[in-house]
């Protein structure tokens, strides 16, 4: 799919010229000039309010950004994604995560068998959740399942882990859900020490069922269950007993079967669901178990609300398109190299980590869809933490470090765990930080507040730090679904604007291959000097290997 080059170049040139004119402009002046800036630069969709008035933009900036969106055919790509076209061209796959949250009676643009498959998959998940929650599904010696451990990494971990954390207020009291991703024994071992094998169920979540970290942890978990069984069991009885403690979520059914998980305990999903977009698929089984299936359905329904908004709203009213355009503006025209994500919600503390994969694995690329080097920088470095904690740590850099770092502030109107007096303090801090970052403190203001001349340089705040504030009504499954789908679509729009494929991740492969090559050099009984490949290694790796083998 090619788009015409000339309008794109023209739009970029116009933005570059405009950016020159905008360089000396301060947010103070922009607010002074446009008294209705909040009304002009805020949008609503579902239960989300997006205030981007503290971005360093004018009406003209937005017009020019929207010209770029037109030239890049963002709306056309949106249609292609929804229709299930092969937009992931390097893996020859569609990207149909929206289909996973489409109600069966929705007007669909993709093949009817996809709707059928999604419904079947949800029905199986519902049935399994009911069996676990009712106690009908038991461990090998009839104990009720009390602990569920999701073994997965990347997209098979970050989304579900974040969602379960975010929805702590909806957590079922009768089941604990844990997440283990790292192959470092320090992740799995302490958890196993606390669990009872007779009442523990493992979900081996891996799209490929070939990921080293997940398979290492799954093998250890299997051995742990095995070692808890009576020695007298026959081979078959032992296999059957182990199987009571494992289910798999994968698109590689043969590999899950080879691991010993019976076919009826494998929850499949298709290759048109990218790992980092997969929490809506059976990868979300851990979420459904943690908060109940109806809450999982509410999460899907919330995402669908945002899908509909993304598909139907015109570009200037469209939250994902607006967020993506602001990112392009900040990265390519203001010169931001990083982007801070600050939920003022402890329940959303894992949201920045989830977004890191969603965004950086999707657009951390420097080759375009035609295989040519990008002429613009793409994805900024994403980072962040719960806002109130960040304030007492790295916010100093945001206020006085001298680098433009756009920030997303995420606020909940109502607390999910209300305690007297807490929430208003939290909100006051969030509002204060975004205002302080935007408007700073001039030397005159510092002086007026009684600061002496000697401290003036230290007590002056330049401001002009751009930020966006997202206000969520409440942190419910439905609102969380909207929030996640908003960022998913933002990332997709960014990828279109930068002309990169958002759905592959070849960059992570090289290191994996090298690790396989190095493994024999580290095995206990291997003499380092006898390893053939060692001769071809670089001096640093050889030196470190030698030190490790000593
Ligand atoms: O290595 C990166 C990656 O492929 C991610 O894209 C993916 O989410 C993660 O590994 C886990 O992959 P899988 O679900 O196949 O185990």
């Amino acid at each position: 799919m090619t788009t015409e080059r000339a309008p794109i170049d023209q739009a970029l040139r116009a933005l570059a010229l405009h950016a020159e004119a905008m360089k000396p402009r301060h947010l103070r002046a922009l607010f002074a000039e446009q008294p209705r800036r909040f009304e002009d630069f805020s949008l609503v969709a579902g239960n989300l309010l997006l205030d981007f008035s503290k971005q360093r933009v004018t009406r003209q900036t937005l017009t020019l950004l929207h010209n770029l969106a037109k030239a890049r055919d963002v709306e056309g790509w949106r249609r292609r994604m929804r229709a299930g076209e092969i937009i992931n061209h390097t893996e020859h796959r569609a990207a149909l995560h929206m289909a996973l949250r489409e109600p069966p009676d929705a007007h669909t643009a993709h093949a009817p068998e996809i709707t059928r498959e999604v419904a079947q998959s949800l029905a199986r998940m519902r049935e399994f959740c009911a069996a676990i929650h009712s106690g009908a599904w038991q461990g090998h010696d009839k104990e009720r399942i009390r602990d569920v451990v999701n073994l997965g990494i990347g997209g098979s971990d970050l989304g579900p882990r974040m969602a379960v954390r975010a929805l702590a207020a909806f957590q079922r009291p009768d089941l604990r859900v844990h997440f283990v991703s790292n192959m470092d024994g320090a992740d799995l071992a302490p958890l196993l020490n606390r669990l009872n094998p007779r009442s523990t169920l493992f979900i081996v979540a891996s799209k490929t069922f070939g990921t080293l970290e997940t398979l290492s942890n799954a093998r250890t978990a299997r051995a742990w269950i095995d070692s808890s069984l009576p020695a007298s069991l026959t081979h078959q009885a032992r296999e059957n007993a182990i199987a009571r403690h494992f289910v798999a979520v994968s698109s590689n059914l043969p590999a899950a079967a080879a691991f010993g998980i019976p076919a009826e305990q494998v929850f499949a999903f298709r290759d048109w669901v990218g790992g980092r977009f997969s929490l809506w698929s059976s990868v979300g089984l851990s979420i459904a178990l943690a908060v109940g299936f109806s809450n999982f359905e509410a999460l899907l329904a919330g995402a669908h609300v945002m899908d509909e908004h993304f598909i139907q709203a015109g570009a200037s009213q469209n939250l994902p398109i607006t967020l993506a355009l602001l990112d392009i503006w900040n990265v390519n025209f203001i010169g931001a190299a990083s982007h801070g994500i600050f939920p003022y919600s402890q329940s959303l503390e894992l949201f920045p980590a989830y977004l890191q994969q969603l965004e950086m694995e999707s657009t951390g690329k420097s080759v375009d869809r035609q295989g040519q080097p990008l002429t613009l920088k793409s994805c900024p470095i994403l980072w962040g933490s719960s806002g109130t904690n960040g304030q007492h740590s790295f916010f100093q850099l945001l206020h006085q470090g001298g680098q433009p770092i756009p920030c997303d502030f995420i606020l909940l109107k109502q607390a999910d765990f209300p305690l007297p007096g807490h929430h208003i303090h939290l909100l006051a801090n969030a509002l204060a930080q975004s205002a302080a970052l935007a408007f700073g403190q001039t030397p005159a203001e510092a002086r007026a507040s009684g600061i002496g001349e000697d401290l003036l340089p230290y007590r002056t705040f330049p401001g002009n730090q751009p930020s966006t504030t997202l206000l969520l009504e409440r942190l419910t499954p439905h609102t969380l679904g909207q929030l996640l789908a908003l960022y998913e679509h933002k990332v997709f729009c960014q990828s279109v604007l930068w002309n990169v494929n958002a759905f592959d991740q070849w960059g992570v492969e090289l290191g994996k291959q090298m690790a396989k090559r190095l493994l024999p050099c580290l095995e206990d009984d291997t003499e380092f000097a006898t390893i053939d490949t060692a001769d071809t290694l670089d001096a640093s790796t050889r030196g470190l290997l030698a030190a490790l083998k000593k």
Side-chain angles (χ1 to χ4, degrees), residues 510-547:
L510 178 62
K512 288 188 197 170
Q513 287 157 20
M514 288 172 81
K516 271 194 197 137
R517 233 179 103 219
L518 289 173
L519 194 59
C521 306
L522 283 157
E523 269 157 6
D524 283 349
D525 51 356
T526 309
E527 272 298 314
F528 176 58
T530 66
I531 302 284
D532 291 345
T533 54
D535 290 338
T536 62
L537 294 175
D538 64 89
S540 165
T541 308
R542 280 181 67 85
L544 290 168
L545 273 175

Side-chain angles (χ1 to χ4, degrees), residues 47-48 163-164 166-171 279-280 287-288 290-305 416 472 474-485:
N47 306 115
L48 310 187
V164 169
L167 299 176
F170 298 82
Q171 171 73 49
L279 71 92
W280 321 100
I287 308 173
V291 298
F293 193 77
S294 58
N295 279 323
F296 182 68
E297 283 181 312
L299 182 79
L300 300 183
H304 180 67
V305 166
D416 48 351
L472 278 58
R474 270 181 64 209
L475 191 54
T476 61
H478 198 264
T479 317
L480 182 68
Q482 294 174 33
L483 176 74
L484 305 185

Side-chain angles (χ1 to χ4, degrees), residues 151-158 205-215 249-251 269 274-278 283 357 361 503-505 507-509 512:
L151 303 173
I153 196 163
S156 301
D157 167 73
L158 289 162
S206 174
K207 179 174 171 180
T208 55
F209 223 86
T211 303
L212 183 64
E213 290 85 347
T214 302
L215 294 186
V249 172
S250 186
S251 59
F269 65 104
R276 50 194 175 274
F277 300 86
S278 66
V283 169
Q357 186 201 17
E361 203 166 65
F503 302 104
D504 62 8
Q505 58 283 318
V508 298
E509 292 306 319
K512 288 188 197 170

Side-chain angles (χ1 to χ4, degrees), residues 88-149:
N88 175 358
H89 68 294
T90 62
E91 296 181 309
H92 207 69
R93 290 175 185 163
L96 268 170
H97 44 283
M98 273 194 281
L100 298 168
R101 51 228 191 183
E102 219 168 48
D105 53 352
H107 167 74
T108 55
H110 50 71
E113 61 267 24
I114 289 178
T115 311
R116 262 199 309 279
E117 248 182 60
V118 170
Q120 279 161 8
S121 159
L122 285 171
R124 285 197 62 210
M125 286 171 73
R126 181 190 296 115
E127 210 178 294
F128 185 69
C129 287
I132 293 286
H133 293 147
S134 66
W137 182 287
Q138 294 156 343
H140 69 277
D141 64 355
K142 309 276 177 261
E143 271 219 32
R144 202 185 164 115
I145 298 298
R146 298 283 178 201
D147 290 278
V148 170
V149 185

